């Protein structure tokens, strides 16, 4: 009989080099138990109870909000967000331009330099001055013909009739997109407004969605508030806030029937504008749908006194 | 103590300064009428290859890889002006001795700028940054410094009292070239000294004065004193002139914008460098281009001489809202400007000048509103003008007139608010015409006259300020319209250009009459109506205008 060494582990039927307390599974279990205990202790500590894991932290900071100048609109939307794209839509005579010019006027009054990219060349400087705009701080970009003809109106409208409208809007929209890109890249503007109010919806919707995404990315993390004035929403999910503006019947001075009194006794005094917050990405998640989604305010005529 | 900056082979250096890639190649500068051109200057590499001054162009064909350039006086002027600028940035007393040679008085500068060797080294570095290779010498008198700079390469410092010893090693040619402006006379004196066996200044310096005077006259005495380094004189101080200009005459006309931009970049860098030395910035840039009126392909042997007889000048001016000093920004602005206004003919000569101004000094505050950087803003505006056209971008200024819509578009030049500035004052609001104002005054309806207390007034004013104002969206140009009148009042309107603007007028206000400029040819008279027309989306308010001079109706805009 040959003599061979018999090890204890073999004798008891266990693995040769690993004893039961030092097996990997056991070590893992032990570590897990220990970790759970520590976590339980940490959780039980009163000061550290409210610690939020890093994975659940809300990384995106709330954007800075600036006043639009209209308290009712500010209370509805919280103001206009810097670093975000805000859409203001409405039909003709809805008061959308009044809202836009007033927001620009308040921004220029704050000392900010603003830009208005006027796709249809519809900006009326007198209206802006009446709204209190600091004209020296407003950059007005008139899209359209590069070298406009200096003909009297009676002759020029005949020329204009000959041009196909779609082609005209296309060139203006192209200019608008290029100019907006440049303005967003240059930084330093407090507010940039794109006026697409007179652009037909069909033409405005031909703006590629990629352009809006680019604008959104460009304006992000900048102190610029980007406003878009339009007839119907066109920026899709790129806009952080969508406000629809509509007007209740305009308030006209004079209560007598229109045909019984001289027309010069009538006067357009003010608009009753209703703003409806259609969408906002800036609301806090915990909040439910806001109780009030519309706000009404008045827009007075410059001559109303 | 005095310092001298001397640029050897100045004509060649002035060309190389503008074309730095030539520094590593042998360059010879030619002058004279073709085909009798001769070498007037050459760089060290050309000299190493055996090229000598006075060699004719036909003889130069024996050398390969030799770069030949015609002498350019504008570039020499620019290089010399840059040299003067550099010297004036060190010392207030500067003498413009000759092209490529400048003398400086260093008296009293040691406490400010450091020791004399340090000043000389700083000077050398500054001149080297300008693209010129110069000799420097510091001595107790100007002429000794001048001779040392002409004779010794690099930086030379001659201690006081040892001028004769140091200058003694120089050949007599150096002294005669600097003393006589006429080359032939200098050669004659060299031959005389050569016959006497005098080849170094030391030999001339030790000659007895009386025999020298007897044989060579007063010139001989002067030359001997110079050779001893014993002449003392005052500098002919140059009045500093703030002219920052660079010029280039081109070998071949430029047709494309890209090579022009390449040259402009170099010129701008030189101008900006000179301005930076004086702590100044650019307020205006003037670009003058001499254009050839004949296409170069029509004349294969197109030479500068020929071009100069058939040229016209093309000028562009770049006015900057704030003083700036960034060559890249200037280049881009010039590029955009030239793209919008092409010269229209080949360019044979470029002259660029800058109007200097004190740089903008403003400390930004933490709580100031955001403000675009002037350099970036200017570039953006130029780019936008390239897209939408000039005159279609800027800030609006309303004109002081009753004519509706009278405004002018000016360059946007916002003033950055000072950190502690008071709140901006609300600008005076211009009334939209005088119609409603007149009405409220003429109408005796008491509805408009409300007696209120001062407090109520203030409250209302505050509320008014915080309420929007009805804006008008204009149609440019106004849309022609066909209007049906009933009892002199529009009741139906149809726009001739847009079918969607038409219908029964459900509400009318007006007419508001205004006219003006009767004494002018462009007199105007009009009647305005505010009208409401029902549309699919509701009532739409328009401003309807009748031109009383022509009787035509127009839709001027929409109230929105």
């Amino acid at each position: 009989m040959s003599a061979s060494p018999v090890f204890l582990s073999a004798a008891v039927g266990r693995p040769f080099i690993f004893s039961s307390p030092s097996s990997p599974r056991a070590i893992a279990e032990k570590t897990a138990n220990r970790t759970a205990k520590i976590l339980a202790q940490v959780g039980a500590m009163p000061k550290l109870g409210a610690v939020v894991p890093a994975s659940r932290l809300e990384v995106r900071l709330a954007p800075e909000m600036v006043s639009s100048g209209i308290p009712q609109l500010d209370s509805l939307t919280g103001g206009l967000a810097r670093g975000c794209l805000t859409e203001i839509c409405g039909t003709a005579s809805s008061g959308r331009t009044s809202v836009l010019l007033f927001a620009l006027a308040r921004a220029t009054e704050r000392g900010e330099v603003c830009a208005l990219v006027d796709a249809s060349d519809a900006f009326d400087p007198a209206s802006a001055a009446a709204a209190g705009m600091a004209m020296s701080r407003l950059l007005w970009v008139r899209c359209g013909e590069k070298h406009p003809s200096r003909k009297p109106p009676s002759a020029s409208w005949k020329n204009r009739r000959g041009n196909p409208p779609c082609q005209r809007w296309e060139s203006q929209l192209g200019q608008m997109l290029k100019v907006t890109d440049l303005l967003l890249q240059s930084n330093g503007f407090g507010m940039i407004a794109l006026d697409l109010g007179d652009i037909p919806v069909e033409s405005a919707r031909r703006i590629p969605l990629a352009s809006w995404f680019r604008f959104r990315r460009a304006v992000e993390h900048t102190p610029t508030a980007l406003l878009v004035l339009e007839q119907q929403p066109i920026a899709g999910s790129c806009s952080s806030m969508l406000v629809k503006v509509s007007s209740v019947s305009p308030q006209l001075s004079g209560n007598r029937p229109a045909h019984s009194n001289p027309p010069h006794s009538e006067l357009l005094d003010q608009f009753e504008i209703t703003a409806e917050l259609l969408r906002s990405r800036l609301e806090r998640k915990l909040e439910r749908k806001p109780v009030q989604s519309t706000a009404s305010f008045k827009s007075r005529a410059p001559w109303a006194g | 103590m005095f310092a001298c900056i001397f640029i050897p082979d100045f004509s060649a250096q002035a060309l190389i300064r503008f074309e730095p890639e030539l520094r590593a190649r042998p360059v010879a500068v030619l002058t004279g009428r073709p085909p009798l051109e001769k070498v007037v200057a050459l760089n060290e590499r050309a000299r190493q290859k055996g090229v000598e001054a006075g060699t004719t162009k036909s003889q130069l064909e024996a050398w390969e890889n030799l770069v030949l350039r015609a002498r350019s006086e504008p570039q020499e002027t620019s290089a010399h002006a840059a040299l003067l600028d550099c010297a004036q940035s060190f010392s207030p007393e500067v003498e413009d001795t000759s092209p490529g040679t400048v003398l400086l008085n260093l008296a009293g500068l040691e406490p400010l700028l450091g020791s004399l060797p340090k000043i000389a080294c700083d000077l050398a570095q500054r001149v080297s940054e300008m693209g010129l290779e110069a000799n420097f010498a510091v001595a107790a008198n100007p002429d000794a410094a001048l001779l040392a700079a002409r004779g010794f390469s690099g930086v030379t410092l001659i201690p006081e009292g040892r001028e004769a010893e140091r200058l003694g090693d120089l050949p007599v040619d150096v002294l005669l070239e600097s003393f006589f402006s006429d080359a032939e006379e200098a050669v004659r004196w060299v031959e005389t000294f050569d016959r006497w066996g005098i080849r170094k200044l030391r030999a001339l310096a030790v000659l007895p004065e009386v025999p020298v005077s007897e044989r060579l006259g007063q010139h001989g005495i002067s030359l001997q004193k110079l050779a001893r380094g014993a002449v003392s004189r005052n500098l002919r101080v140059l009045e500093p002139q703030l002219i920052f200009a660079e010029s280039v005459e081109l070998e071949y006309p430029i047709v494309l914008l890209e090579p022009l931009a390449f040259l402009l970049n170099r010129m701008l860098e030189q101008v900006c460098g000179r301005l930076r030395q004086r702590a100044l910035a650019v307020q205006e840039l003037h670009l003058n281009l001499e254009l050839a009126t004949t296409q170069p392909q029509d004349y294969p042997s197109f030479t500068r001489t020929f071009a100069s007889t058939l040229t016209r000048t093309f000028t562009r001016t770049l006015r900057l809202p704030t003083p700036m000093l960034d060559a890249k920004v200037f280049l881009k602005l010039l590029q955009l400007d030239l793209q919008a206004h092409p010269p229209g003919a080949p360019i044979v000569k470029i002259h660029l000048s800058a109007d200097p101004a004190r740089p903008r000094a403003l400390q930004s505050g933490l709580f100031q509103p955001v403000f675009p950087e002037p350099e970036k803003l200017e570039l953006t505006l130029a780019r936008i003008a390239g897209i939408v056209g000039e005159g279609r971008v800027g800030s609006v200024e309303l004109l002081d007139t009753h004519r509706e819509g009278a405004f002018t578009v000016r360059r946007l030049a916002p003033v950055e608010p000072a950190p502690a500035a008071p709140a901006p004052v609300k600008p005076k609001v211009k009334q939209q015409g005088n119609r409603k104002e007149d009405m409220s005054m003429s109408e005796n309806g008491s509805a408009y006259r409300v007696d209120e207390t001062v407090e109520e007034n203030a409250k209302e004013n505050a509320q008014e300020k915080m309420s929007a104002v009805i804006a008008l969206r204009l149609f440019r140009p106004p849309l022609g319209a066909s209007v049906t009148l009933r009892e002199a009042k529009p009741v139906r309107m149809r726009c001739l250009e847009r079918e969607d603007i038409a219908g029964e007028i459900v509400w009318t206000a007006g007419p508001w009459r205004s006219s003006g400029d009767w004494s002018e040819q462009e007199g105007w008279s009009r009647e305005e109506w505010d009208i409401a027309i029902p549309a699919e989306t509701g009532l739409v308010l328009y401003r309807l205008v009748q031109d009383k001079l022509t009787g035509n109706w127009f839709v001027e805009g929409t109230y929105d």
Side-chain angles (χ1 to χ4, degrees):
Chain A
M1 185 179 169
S2 62
S4 60
V6 177
F7 292 95
L8 179 63
S9 58
V12 295
R14 289 175 182 166
F16 178 66
I17 49 173
F18 299 115
S19 61
S20 63
S22 60
S23 67
R25 187 177 294 173
I27 289 172
E29 283 175 2
K30 193 176 177 183
T31 311
N33 289 336
R34 199 174 293 167
T35 310
K37 274 183 186 175
I38 292 169
L39 284 176
Q41 284 175 1
V42 169
M45 288 170 75
K47 285 184 181 175
L48 299 176
V51 172
V52 181
S55 58
R56 287 186 208 165
L57 278 175
E58 200 169 330
V59 178
R60 185 169 293 182
L61 298 171
E64 186 190 347
M65 306 297 275
V66 288
S67 170
S68 65
I70 302 167
Q72 296 89 338
L73 189 62
D74 285 347
S75 65
L76 174 69
T77 62
L80 303 170
R82 289 192 194 273
C84 295
L85 194 155
T86 303
E87 283 184 283
I88 300 170
C89 65
T91 55
S93 292
S94 61
R96 57 199 172 151
T97 312
S98 307
V99 173
L100 182 81
L101 288 189
F102 207 62
L104 283 169
R106 294 292 82 79
T108 54
E109 272 192 357
R110 285 193 296 267
E112 296 172 10
V113 180
C114 301
L116 173 65
V117 186
D118 194 358
S120 46
D121 197 7
F123 174 64
D124 179 31
S127 300
M133 187 92 72
M135 290 296 199
S136 62
R137 295 204 193 97
L138 178 75
L139 175 69
W140 179 29
V141 184
R142 308 168 67 183
C143 301
E145 290 177 60
K146 223 172 172 181
H147 304 289
S149 58
R150 296 286 178 197
K151 292 178 181 174
S154 55
S156 55
W157 68 259
K158 283 177 187 171
N159 293 341
R160 192 171 159 178
R161 181 188 273 180
N163 294 334
C166 291
Q167 198 179 341
R168 190 160 59 86
W169 295 127
E170 258 181 31
S171 72
Q172 290 172 1
L173 288 175
Q175 287 181 354
M176 188 272 294
L177 294 178
K178 286 180 190 170
V179 168
T180 309
D181 269 327
L182 288 172
L183 289 172
L184 288 173
Q185 283 165 17
S186 71
N187 289 332
F189 287 93
M191 195 175 282
I192 297 174
L194 313 183
D195 188 352
L196 304 174
D198 285 343
I199 305 287
V201 180
E202 311 84 58
S203 299
R205 285 195 172 148
R206 294 177 73 176
I207 298 173
L209 202 58
S211 298
W212 296 116
F213 274 109
R214 196 172 65 248
F215 291 162
R216 193 188 75 174
R217 288 292 299 154
V219 82
E220 219 171 24
H221 306 303
T222 67
T224 305
L226 180 62
L227 304 186
V228 183
L229 183 75
E230 64 220 356
Q231 293 185 20
Q232 285 186 17
I234 49 174
S237 60
C238 298
S239 64
S240 300
M241 196 190 293
L242 173 60
V243 179
K244 185 181 180 184
V245 177
S246 56
S247 72
V248 190
S249 60
Q251 188 178 333
L252 313 168
S253 69
N255 298 322
R256 288 164 291 185
H259 292 290
S260 64
N261 59 352
H264 59 266
S265 65
E266 301 280 351
L267 195 63
L268 174 64
D269 275 347
Q270 59 188 22
F271 272 175
E272 179 82 21
I273 300 174
T274 305
E276 187 181 359
L277 183 64
L278 294 184
R279 187 179 66 233
S280 175
R281 289 163 167 268
L282 308 172
E283 292 167 358
R284 283 183 293 175
K285 286 177 184 172
L286 295 176
E287 281 183 2
R288 291 181 179 181
K289 188 183 175 186
V291 178
Q292 186 192 6
S293 65
T294 60
S296 295
F297 51 91
K298 286 175 181 172
S299 169
R300 64 182 168 83
W303 51 81
Chain B
M1 297 294 275
F2 295 87
C4 177
I5 310 172
F6 174 71
I7 314 285
D9 299 310
F10 182 60
S11 301
Q13 293 258 12
L15 287 168
I16 292 171
R17 169 177 172 257
F18 200 71
E19 296 179 71
E21 64 273 10
L22 295 181
R23 202 177 296 281
R25 301 179 63 188
V27 180
V29 181
L30 303 169
T31 186
R33 290 182 67 82
L36 302 173
E37 295 128 312
K38 285 184 178 176
V39 175
V40 287
L42 60 165
N43 67 350
E44 194 55 37
R45 286 182 182 268
R47 199 169 281 119
Q48 284 170 4
K49 289 209 165 206
V51 184
E52 289 179 352
T55 313
T56 59
K57 194 177 180 183
S58 55
Q59 288 172 325
L60 290 174
E61 288 173 3
W63 281 274
E64 287 181 1
N65 300 326
L66 181 66
V67 180
L68 302 180
R69 287 281 185 272
R71 186 177 178 183
S72 171
E73 285 184 13
Q75 287 183 38
E76 287 179 24
T77 310
S78 303
H80 187 64
L83 198 64
L84 286 171
D85 271 344
C86 175
Q88 282 170 342
S89 68
F90 276 82
S91 170
E93 289 189 24
V94 173
E95 181 186 287
D96 179 9
T97 311
S98 62
T101 310
V102 174
L103 280 165
L104 297 81
N105 188 358
L106 301 183
L109 294 183
E110 283 181 84
L112 288 171
L113 304 176
S115 63
L116 289 176
K118 185 179 179 303
I119 294 174
C121 289
D122 290 348
L123 207 52
Q125 189 182 349
R126 190 76 65 81
V127 173
S128 173
E129 283 170 3
M130 284 160 38
L132 296 169
E133 289 176 4
N135 295 343
F136 302 89
V138 179
N141 63 70
D143 292 304
L146 179 62
L147 284 175
R150 278 177 162 271
F152 301 115
S153 61
V155 179
T156 310
L157 272 92
I158 301 178
E160 197 168 358
R162 295 181 61 187
E163 289 86 4
E165 183 189 337
R166 292 297 304 274
L167 295 177
D169 297 333
L170 291 176
V172 181
D173 309 16
V174 174
L175 173 63
L176 296 173
E177 279 172 11
S178 65
F179 190 77
F180 293 105
S181 55
D182 186 7
E184 288 181 5
E185 196 172 356
V187 170
R188 203 167 60 244
W189 279 78
V190 169
E191 287 170 356
T192 306
F193 283 130
D194 200 37
R195 281 200 299 275
W196 293 358
I198 296 170
R199 292 182 182 84
K200 299 274 183 182
L201 292 187
R202 183 170 292 114
L204 179 61
V206 296
L207 290 175
E209 285 183 14
V210 177
V212 168
S213 173
E214 285 170 0
R215 287 164 177 81
L216 300 175
Q218 285 301 311
H219 278 328
I221 295 294
S222 301
L223 287 171
Q224 193 182 35
K225 281 186 178 174
L226 286 171
R228 288 174 182 166
V231 177
S232 183
R233 67 172 176 90
N234 291 327
L235 293 183
R236 294 182 294 274
V237 177
L238 178 76
E239 286 292 320
Q241 291 181 339
L242 294 179
I243 297 173
F244 299 92
E246 291 283 329
S247 294
V248 178
E249 270 186 347
L250 303 171
E251 292 284 322
Y252 297 98
I254 288 180
V255 184
L256 298 173
L257 186 60
E258 195 177 345
L260 177 65
F262 190 67
L263 294 173
L264 285 176
N265 184 34
R266 285 181 179 166
M267 298 173 82
L268 284 167
E269 280 178 356
Q270 292 288 352
V271 169
C272 290
R274 287 171 59 188
L275 284 162
R276 197 171 290 115
Q277 283 178 8
R278 289 177 166 271
L280 291 172
V282 178
Q283 184 68 70
E284 272 190 16
L285 265 179
H286 306 278
L287 177 67
N288 290 315
L289 303 175
E290 269 191 22
L291 308 177
T293 51
T294 317
Q295 292 294 325
Q297 56 263 29
D298 299 340
Y299 295 87
S301 59
F302 191 88
T303 62
R304 188 181 302 153
T305 315
F306 177 71
S308 63
T309 57
L310 292 171
T311 57
R312 62 186 171 88
T313 308
F314 175 80
T315 307
R316 298 298 306 162
T317 301
L318 214 64
R319 289 187 182 83
L320 304 167
T322 52
M324 301 177 196
L325 194 65
D326 191 339
K328 285 181 182 172
V329 172
F330 296 150
L331 177 66
K332 198 67 200 168
L333 289 174
L334 283 175
Q335 271 184 299
L336 291 167
D337 189 65
L338 288 171
Q339 271 173 2
H341 307 91
I347 299 157
V348 292
K349 189 176 173 184
I350 309 168
H351 179 81
L352 183 78
S353 61
D355 290 354
R358 293 268 168 217
R360 189 171 57 103
L362 188 68
Q363 187 173 4
S364 297
L366 280 173
F367 305 105
Q368 278 180 262
V370 287
F371 205 82
E373 289 176 40
E375 291 86 358
K376 243 180 181 178
L377 180 65
E378 196 60 22
L379 208 53
T380 306
L381 292 181
R383 283 181 171 143
I384 292 174
I387 295 169
V388 297
E390 263 188 57
R392 297 183 68 82
V393 56
S395 65
V396 190
E397 185 183 329
L398 290 170
L399 299 179
D400 187 15
T401 171
H402 286 289
R403 186 196 280 264
E404 277 294 322
F407 66 88
T408 179
V409 179
R410 296 190 182 281
R411 170 191 290 268
L412 179 74
V415 180
E416 197 166 351
V425 181
K426 188 179 176 180
K428 190 181 176 185
V429 175
K430 181 182 181 297
Q431 290 292 332
Q432 277 202 334
N434 53 359
R435 51 181 181 150
K436 274 81 181 185
E437 191 182 9
D438 292 346
M439 176 191 166
S440 61
M441 291 169 69
S442 60
E443 290 287 319
N444 52 6
S446 57
Y448 299 101
R449 202 179 298 152
V450 184
D451 295 327
E452 289 171 340
T453 61
V454 177
E455 285 177 7
E456 281 171 345
N457 270 333
K459 195 176 173 183
E460 191 177 301
N461 286 339
Q463 204 168 359
E464 245 175 38
K465 196 184 170 187
M466 294 305 287
S467 67
V469 175
I470 295 177
L472 183 69
R473 295 183 68 85
L474 293 174
F475 297 120
R476 287 194 178 94
L479 306 174
S482 164
V483 177
T484 308
L485 298 174
R486 187 181 299 155
E487 296 172 359
K489 186 178 160 188
V491 290
R492 183 171 179 78
M493 187 268 286
R494 183 173 64 84
C495 182
L496 300 175
E497 298 169 54
R498 283 178 55 174
E499 291 176 359
D500 56 325
I501 305 177
E504 293 286 338
I505 298 170
V506 295
W507 174 82
T508 316
W512 320 108
R513 288 177 184 147
S514 59
S515 61
D517 298 335
W518 308 289
S519 56
E520 306 290 332
Q521 283 190 340
E522 294 181 353
W524 52 274
S525 175
R526 52 190 257 151
E527 262 186 17
E528 289 179 13
W529 295 80
D530 291 340
I531 59 167
I533 293 179
E536 290 176 6
T537 53
L539 275 184
V540 182
L541 292 162
Y542 294 102
R543 179 186 283 182
L544 192 64
V545 175
Q546 186 184 23
D547 186 347
K548 297 303 285 182
L549 301 179
T550 60
N552 293 330
W553 287 87
F554 300 100
V555 184
E556 199 170 61
T558 320
Y559 289 108
D560 190 12

